[in-house]
Amino acid sequence: NGFEMGAEGPFSKKSDASYLVNYRYSTMGVMDALGIDIGVGAIPYYQDLALKIDLPGTRLGRFTLFGMGGKNSITFDDENEYNRRYYTDFVSKVGVLGLTNIIRSGDDSRFKTTVAGTFHGNSTLSDTYKNDILEDSYGDDFTESRLMVTEEFRSKLNARDNLVIGVTAEAITMNYLDSIYID
């Protein structure tokens, strides 16, 4: 349901480094921008991007950069035969960006470090009007951000047993707003 473009492959023939990137955009959003009436009252708009870059074989180990982000929105605006108008606007956003490093220690052991940040949020506004006078309104706004660091040591002890030791630290920020108005 969207226009999409993507690419993946090695950076060069001489390198093991590779990339993957993908982007999408709402088909209905493009049609609306071109002035094409698609016969619906509420048009969903969205776009997202995903990427991964892999850099193996460096002196400092293997690095992987990864990310994903997107935004969508939709607005409903409807009036009925009783002079009531209903308006609702919804927006949502999400994003992740991180970096992983893997360092091998012998054939059966490795250290893995990951640093990542995430964000997600959404907001809603919903109003009801009677004869163009606001009767009631509801709104919310929610966001949450995280910063995470993990360290893991993994070692294969024998054919049946593995040793895994790790630690994770997170910092979380949240914002929640909720409101209502009734005449």
Side-chain angles (χ1 to χ4, degrees), residues 150-166:
T150 65
E151 182 65 43
E152 177 188 283
F153 173 75
R154 180 179 294 263
S155 183
K156 184 174 182 177
L157 300 176
N158 55 47
R160 290 184 346 183
D161 299 315
N162 289 301
L163 171 68
V164 180
I165 301 169

Side-chain angles (χ1 to χ4, degrees), residues 13-56:
K13 292 180 181 181
K14 297 179 183 179
S15 170
D16 290 335
S18 63
Y19 68 94
L20 179 134
V21 63
N22 192 68
Y23 176 76
R24 277 188 322 161
Y25 191 84
S26 163
T27 304
M28 291 185 189
V30 171
M31 291 178 171
D32 184 52
L34 294 172
I36 300 169
D37 183 7
I38 55 177
V40 297
I43 298 173
Y45 295 91
Y46 63 84
Q47 60 182 326
D48 54 64
L49 174 72
L51 66 92
K52 181 178 180 183
I53 298 174
D54 190 37
L55 304 170

Side-chain angles (χ1 to χ4, degrees), residues 64-105:
T64 303
L65 175 70
F66 57 93
M68 188 269 314
K71 177 181 179 182
N72 68 64
S73 65
I74 190 164
T75 301
F76 300 92
D77 196 355
D78 188 32
E79 190 167 336
N80 66 20
E81 64 272 12
Y82 304 108
N83 291 326
R84 270 221 162 78
R85 183 172 157 235
Y86 303 96
Y87 175 86
T88 302
D89 186 48
F90 177 79
V91 177
S92 179
K93 300 174 188 174
V94 65
V96 176
L97 184 62
L99 181 67
T100 297
N101 175 245
I102 297 175
I103 299 175
R104 297 243 171 240
S105 175

Side-chain angles (χ1 to χ4, degrees), residues 88-127:
T88 302
D89 186 48
F90 177 79
V91 177
S92 179
K93 300 174 188 174
V94 65
V96 176
L97 184 62
L99 181 67
T100 297
N101 175 245
I102 297 175
I103 299 175
R104 297 243 171 240
S105 175
D107 290 338
D108 296 331
S109 300
R110 67 166 171 81
F111 290 92
K112 180 179 179 182
T113 306
T114 302
V115 178
T118 67
F119 171 84
H120 71 276
N122 56 49
S123 63
T124 305
L125 176 63
S126 183
D127 293 336

Side-chain angles (χ1 to χ4, degrees), residues 78-79 82-87 126-137 181-183:
D78 188 32
E79 190 167 336
Y82 304 108
N83 291 326
R84 270 221 162 78
R85 183 172 157 235
Y86 303 96
Y87 175 86
S126 183
D127 293 336
T128 303
Y129 298 88
K130 172 78 172 170
N131 296 321
D132 292 329
I133 298 172
L134 182 65
E135 284 187 320
D136 60 66
S137 179
Y181 165 80
I182 300 173
D183 186 22

